[in-house]
Amino acid sequence: MNFAASLDFKPKLVSTLKNYSFDKFKNDLVAGIVVGIVALPLAIAFGIASGVSPTVGLITAIIGGFIVSAAGGCTVQIGGPTGAFIVIVYNIIANFGLEGLAVATLMAGLILVALGIFRLGTVIKFIPYPIVVGFTAGIALTIFSTQINDFFGLGLKNVPSEFIPKWGMYLSNFGNVDWITLGVGLAALAIIIVTPKISRRLPGALIAIILVTLVVSLVPGLHVETIGDRFGSLSTDIPEPHGFELSMATINRLLPSAFTIAILGAIESLLSATVADGVTGTRTNSNTELIGQGMANIIVPFFGGIPVTGAIARTMTNITNGGRTPVAGLVHAIVLFMIFLFLMPLINLIPMACLAAVLIVVSYNMSGWRTIRAIFHNPKSDISVLVLTFLLTVIFDLTIAIEMGLLLAVILFLRRVMENTEIKVYSEQLDIAEGSETTHHEMLNVNPGVEVYEIDGPFFFGVATKFDELMRTTIGEKPKVRIIRMRKVPFIDSTGIHNLEVLIKSSHDENIQVVLSGVRENVRAALVNAGVNTLLGDDHICDHITKAVEMANRLAPASATAAAAATV
């Protein structure tokens, strides 16, 4: 097998640079500068909310954003830290420390690369929408909950990470609200909400941070907690790469968290890319995008960064400001790097209440309450899946929600496939055109003692069990020959093959012959590899129903037919 040929890794940067022009560069330059400015407050806020310093948030946006644009499969994707990771990152740091987060992020990157190598990019997109909405809304509520302390100036220390105990502490301490801090937060919130009404191109979060920081810094006697108060003077030194200890014990403990980061990152980045494709008319290479995201998450931990994924808001900002190639994403990372080198002392002055207002708006935009309201008009199964995923995310944690969500996705898929898979039984006469688009109908006479079972759908473990139950519960005289018509079976799995083998053996024990009809080439190859042809006989695997019926009529005892005629 040629591995290089099978690897679906074609970065969009390479293909777009072949026909690149100065006009495209001007558009990408403007878009990159705007996105870099928009990304600044978000990177700082997401870093702080995740339990790390603002510097870590910026480093993640710089390195991760650069790699996503350089190696990804989407022309306009902007990568960096996002709100979706706040909950999982905060919990990992609380339980395993910063080194545990680095190991989990590295492992998540390897998982993402593996998903891309094995061409699973398109599969990720088929996770049911209610599940995605459920845990996105759950994340939004959790992010909102983490900002109450800073927004109201409660001054609480060691706030529980669990949702219910956290709100219990909040409610018992609401008498300690700092009204100046609350006023600063409300002012920032108002600016963020009003700015888009003036112009959608204006970065509301950045304007709020600049204006509120200026007022707090210049008005005498107006003091609220700032980034500098909490984190001290932020370093402008470029972090050097560093390693961390890996052991099987650490890997085993962090594997569930790494899996959660990888799946969440894959879903969010591909969702962002899909939205971008719909606006720009381009087509994302999902497998390349996953590999690019994986590479970013492999490299970022060595510089102390947090998980990276595609960011929908920043990607859409890139598009609306004219960005059309990955060069805009590279420019955005360079702009952030320049800010990191020269403007970090000013970041110390930003009030924590202002960042809390930024994240409250982020959580509101993530909540998707309009989508939730629309889903509540859907079937009850969709509603129950959404509610369950939401509650698991909020009350327990995102790891459990992702795992249960994926399990629910599989169960829903199997249920729908089984509901749409039919098994029909025929005897005496069979119309070979039934169930097809042809208008030419031909009736085949089936001898007494011959029964035809048609499977309409994939013969996997769920359907195999359904077919086995049908065979066991069939009432009446046992046939002499069983024809299993498989023209509409696109694939068969190991359980289907096993059940078929059991059926053939039990039928032979009862002196019942089995003939397979309409077997497709890929299904026949699977049966041959499993040795079913040896058990059954090559001549008993037919490519058309007419051949199968002819054989079955020969195998059914003619004396039985004659005896029946003589009796009449």
Side-chain angles (χ1 to χ4, degrees):
M1 177 180 174
N2 188 340
F3 180 76
S6 64
L7 181 62
D8 189 15
F9 181 59
K10 302 177 181 65
K12 289 292 185 180
L13 180 63
V14 176
S15 59
T16 53
L17 287 180
K18 291 179 181 178
N19 299 310
Y20 204 61
S21 65
F22 184 69
D23 287 337
K24 290 181 179 179
F25 175 71
K26 287 192 297 183
N27 292 332
D28 288 337
L29 180 63
V30 172
I33 293 172
V34 173
V35 175
I37 293 171
V38 170
L40 173 65
L42 296 176
I44 294 170
F46 292 149
I48 293 173
S50 299
V52 296
S53 71
T55 304
V56 171
L58 270 178
I59 290 297
T60 302
I62 293 166
I63 299 175
F66 191 92
I67 296 172
V68 166
S69 294
C74 179
T75 55
V76 293
Q77 183 86 279
I78 302 296
T82 67
F85 284 122
I86 289 175
V87 180
I88 183 66
V89 170
Y90 189 89
N91 287 337
I92 292 174
I93 293 174
N95 293 315
F96 305 105
L98 289 173
E99 185 162 318
L101 174 64
V103 174
T105 306
L106 171 64
M107 292 166 61
L110 294 172
I111 293 171
L112 284 167
V113 170
L115 291 174
I117 289 174
F118 290 106
R119 298 173 178 264
L120 295 176
T122 53
V123 176
I124 299 294
K125 294 181 180 180
F126 293 113
I127 293 178
Y129 193 52
I131 292 175
V132 177
V133 173
F135 63 66
T136 303
I139 292 169
L141 179 57
T142 306
I143 293 173
F144 173 78
S145 300
T146 61
Q147 301 311 305
I148 299 300
N149 188 24
D150 288 336
F151 191 79
F152 287 90
L154 300 179
L156 300 175
K157 305 295 182 183
N158 301 318
V159 178
S161 59
E162 296 83 5
F163 181 81
I164 295 176
K166 179 185 297 175
W167 275 97
M169 179 178 280
Y170 288 158
L171 294 173
S172 61
N173 286 275
F174 260 119
N176 301 325
V177 172
D178 186 299
W179 295 102
I180 295 177
T181 300
L182 178 59
V184 168
L186 289 172
L189 193 62
I191 294 170
I192 297 170
I193 294 171
V194 171
T195 301
K197 300 182 184 301
I198 299 172
S199 173
R200 289 192 172 274
R201 288 181 176 270
L202 293 175
L206 185 65
I207 291 174
I209 286 175
I210 292 173
L211 293 179
V212 172
T213 301
L214 281 172
V215 171
V216 170
S217 301
L218 298 176
V219 175
L222 185 62
H223 178 74
V224 295
E225 187 180 24
T226 65
I227 290 177
D229 294 333
R230 182 170 297 184
F231 295 97
S233 181
L234 298 178
S235 173
T236 58
D237 296 333
I238 301 172
E240 294 183 1
H242 61 84
F244 33 82
E245 185 179 347
L246 281 176
S247 66
M248 283 307 300
T250 304
I251 292 172
N252 289 335
R253 285 187 293 121
L254 289 169
L255 187 58
S257 299
F259 179 76
T260 301
I261 293 172
I263 295 300
L264 186 61
I267 293 171
E268 187 166 9
S269 63
L270 294 183
L271 180 62
S272 173
T274 302
V275 172
D277 288 348
V279 176
T280 62
T282 55
R283 184 178 179 184
T284 295
N285 183 318
S286 299
N287 299 314
T288 299
E289 183 64 19
L290 289 182
I291 294 174
Q293 299 282 342
M295 291 170 62
N297 283 288
I298 290 171
I299 295 172
V300 159
F302 290 98
F303 294 88
I306 57 179
V308 177
T309 187
I312 295 178
R314 277 159 276 175
T315 298
M316 292 305 297
T317 302
N318 182 31
I319 294 171
T320 55
N321 285 277
R324 287 298 180 271
T325 79
V327 173
L330 301 181
V331 172
H332 131 272
I334 294 171
V335 168
L336 287 174
F337 184 56
M338 294 297 103
I339 294 171
F340 174 78
L341 289 179
F342 302 112
L343 298 179
M344 284 300 281
L346 297 178
I347 292 174
N348 289 315
L349 303 176
I350 299 174
M352 293 300 299
C354 190
L355 289 180
V358 171
L359 287 172
I360 286 173
V361 173
V362 168
S363 64
Y364 173 80
N365 292 333
M366 282 183 66
S367 67
W369 61 270
R370 293 181 181 86
T371 304
I372 294 173
R373 185 175 62 184
I375 289 178
F376 268 84
H377 296 290
N378 290 356
K380 290 182 179 179
S381 59
D382 287 348
I383 299 172
S384 59
V385 167
L386 186 152
V387 171
L388 179 60
T389 311
F390 173 80
L391 292 176
L392 287 172
T393 303
V394 172
I395 297 175
F396 295 97
D397 61 51
L398 198 56
T399 301
I400 294 175
I402 291 278
E403 292 170 352
M404 289 300 297
L406 292 176
L407 179 60
L408 282 170
V410 172
I411 292 172
L412 287 174
F413 171 76
L414 295 179
R415 177 186 170 189
R416 283 166 184 160
V417 170
M418 289 191 62
E419 286 175 349
N420 292 321
T421 300
E422 293 183 324
I423 301 174
K424 301 176 183 177
V425 183
Y426 300 93
S427 60
E428 296 185 1
Q429 280 194 328
L430 174 67
D431 183 357
I432 63 172
E434 183 179 339
S436 65
E437 295 181 358
T438 180
T439 56
H440 176 68
H441 294 270
E442 180 182 348
M443 302 302 295
L444 296 179
N445 292 319
V446 180
N447 282 356
V450 177
E451 285 187 351
V452 181
Y453 300 84
E454 178 162 15
I455 303 171
D456 185 357
F459 198 3
F460 69 108
F461 59 90
V463 177
T465 304
K466 183 178 179 180
F467 180 66
D468 185 55
E469 290 175 355
L470 175 66
M471 299 292 291
R472 293 177 183 275
T473 56
T474 300
I475 301 174
E477 186 178 348
K478 292 182 179 179
K480 300 297 180 182
V481 182
R482 286 172 172 152
I483 298 176
I484 302 175
R485 197 178 187 189
M486 304 176 69
R487 58 174 177 157
K488 295 182 180 179
V489 176
F491 71 86
I492 185 169
D493 72 350
S494 57
T495 306
I497 291 173
H498 172 72
N499 282 33
L500 194 57
E501 289 175 336
V502 171
L503 170 66
I504 293 169
K505 291 176 182 178
S506 62
S507 296
H508 287 175
D509 291 340
E510 297 176 290
N511 294 321
I512 301 172
Q513 296 290 322
V514 177
V515 178
L516 305 184
S517 164
V519 181
R520 300 187 183 188
E521 286 299 323
N522 63 310
V523 176
R524 186 186 185 99
L527 296 177
V528 170
N529 288 335
V532 175
N533 61 319
T534 304
L535 181 65
L536 192 59
D538 285 314
D539 59 335
H540 281 55
I541 304 178
C542 306
D543 58 3
H544 198 271
I545 188 62
T546 53
K547 297 178 183 178
V549 171
E550 287 176 6
M551 171 173 284
N553 286 342
R554 289 197 306 268
L555 292 172
S559 58
T561 307
T567 304
V568 175

